[in-house]
Amino acid sequence: QVQLVESGGGLVQAGGSLRLACTASGRTFSMYTMGWFRQAPGKEREVVAAINYSGRRTYYADSATGRFTISRDNAKNTVLLQMNSLKPEDTAVYYCAVDSRHSYSSTWYPPSGYDYWGQGTQVTVSS
């Protein structure tokens, strides 16, 4: 059974940092793009960052560029999201996801393109 488990969320003051981790189990995901998404109350789920199968290519939403860094460790089936200079508008539930329908791809898909999802971890940034 495939499972994605996020960790590392919490409450932080504006300007602070958090590191989110997502560990996959049940199969290997080293062939697939993995991504981090977030959803704030009353808003649609949006991409934050994505990383291709090798880790050599990354994508960031404008809101994350320069502040967040995505990385992966295929040996550990883990993807990380380092978030610095956090702002109150970063408050949301953060989800990791895998696009297992496209092997060895560097094409970036919207949330609908990802087929395995974690349960989410809450990030709250206070002003």
Side-chain angles (χ1 to χ4, degrees):
Q1 182 179 355
V2 174
Q3 191 174 20
L4 302 176
V5 179
E6 300 100 335
S7 62
L11 173 64
V12 65
Q13 289 188 332
S17 299
L18 285 174
R19 190 178 79 159
L20 305 184
C22 173
T23 300
S25 61
R27 63 185 289 189
T28 182
F29 288 107
S30 59
M31 298 178 291
Y32 308 120
T33 294
M34 300 184 74
W36 283 98
F37 300 80
R38 68 187 184 188
Q39 188 166 18
K43 296 188 176 181
E44 293 186 355
R45 190 169 297 188
E46 61 179 6
V47 64
V48 175
I51 188 166
N52 80 334
Y53 64 96
S54 68
R56 295 190 183 96
R57 294 193 64 185
T58 56
Y59 169 86
Y60 294 96
D62 289 345
S63 59
T65 299
R67 299 188 299 128
F68 296 0
T69 302
I70 190 171
S71 60
R72 68 189 295 165
D73 184 340
N74 284 339
K76 297 180 179 179
N77 248 8
T78 297
V79 62
L80 303 175
L81 185 69
Q82 177 67 42
M83 304 188 295
N84 298 327
S85 302
L86 283 162
K87 305 175 182 179
E89 50 263 44
D90 294 319
T91 295
V93 178
Y94 284 70
Y95 301 88
C96 73
V98 176
D99 168 17
S100 75
R101 289 177 283 205
H102 305 94
S103 303
Y104 302 110
S105 171
S106 295
T107 300
W108 310 120
Y109 292 95
S112 60
Y114 291 74
D115 50 338
Y116 290 108
W117 291 83
Q119 82 289 349
T121 185
Q122 177 70 46
V123 171
T124 303
V125 184
S126 63
S127 57

